Amino acid sequence: MSIWWSLHLRREAASVPLARRFLLGTMETAGVDPDISFDLSVALSEACANAVEHGGDRTVLGEHGDSGTGRPSADSGQYRVTAYLDGEKCRIEVSDSGPGFPARRALRPAAHSPQAEADAESGRGLDLIQQLSDHVQFGNRPGRGAVVSFDKVLKWREGALLTV
């Protein structure tokens, strides 16, 4: 048995705990070990917070390739969370309609520089997702925004519904 779900959420701060609670409820019902559930829920919260903050700035051109001022993309106010749990792992994907990730993540400034203090929180969520997951991918969908996908091998409580 497996569980798959997808949520289309507004880019609002209130959507982050909603997605997190939905994931936690699914994993608790399925019988996933609470420590694994916690790690994945924190990683999901970080990915959702990133989509809320950065996921809707992309604009589309006017009709017939008009290079005018552009308008917000029709889906710029939303992002999507998809989760798949099976007997071995949980895979989560968060996608948005923003400008996507830069071609290469910028190197952080030296730890003691004034700029380092100003940027201390930038990128920490992505690093946290990497630390809490077994495998992570950060990517872009051309013309469609950023995608963060991550997975983790599951451990199960005694008598769990989805055990291997």
Side-chain angles (χ1 to χ4, degrees):
M1 176 163 45
S2 62
I3 298 173
W4 175 89
W5 52 260
S6 185
L7 301 172
H8 294 261
L9 300 165
R10 289 188 187 134
R11 284 185 47 243
E12 299 173 355
S15 69
V16 177
L18 175 68
R20 181 179 177 146
R21 283 187 224 131
F22 201 87
L23 178 67
L24 284 169
T26 301
M27 290 191 291
E28 181 180 348
T29 300
V32 175
D33 177 82
D35 291 337
I36 299 294
S37 297
F38 179 78
D39 287 352
L40 284 169
S41 71
V42 172
L44 175 62
S45 295
E46 293 297 333
C48 290
N50 200 50
V52 167
E53 185 174 346
H54 305 289
D57 299 326
R58 183 173 55 86
T59 58
V60 293
L61 297 177
E63 299 210 13
H64 307 294
D66 176 13
S67 62
T69 60
R71 66 187 190 289
S73 169
D75 58 357
S76 66
Q78 299 178 17
Y79 68 101
R80 184 180 63 187
V81 177
T82 303
Y84 179 77
L85 283 82
D86 64 18
E88 297 177 11
K89 70 179 177 180
C90 177
R91 180 162 186 83
I92 298 171
E93 180 178 288
V94 178
S95 58
D96 63 46
S97 59
F101 292 102
R104 195 179 93 181
R105 282 181 70 186
L107 295 176
R108 289 209 176 111
H112 300 293
S113 74
Q115 186 64 36
E117 290 178 26
D119 292 341
E121 302 224 1
S122 177
R124 289 175 63 190
L126 299 178
D127 290 339
L128 189 55
I129 294 168
Q130 289 179 310
Q131 292 172 15
L132 295 171
S133 305
D134 294 330
H135 182 258
V136 181
Q137 288 183 304
F138 302 108
N140 295 319
R141 293 184 184 176
R144 295 178 64 199
V147 179
V148 176
S149 59
F150 52 97
D151 56 57
K152 189 166 183 82
V153 173
L154 297 175
K155 294 179 187 172
W156 300 94
R157 294 188 322 251
E158 186 72 29
L161 296 175
L162 296 180
T163 55
V164 181

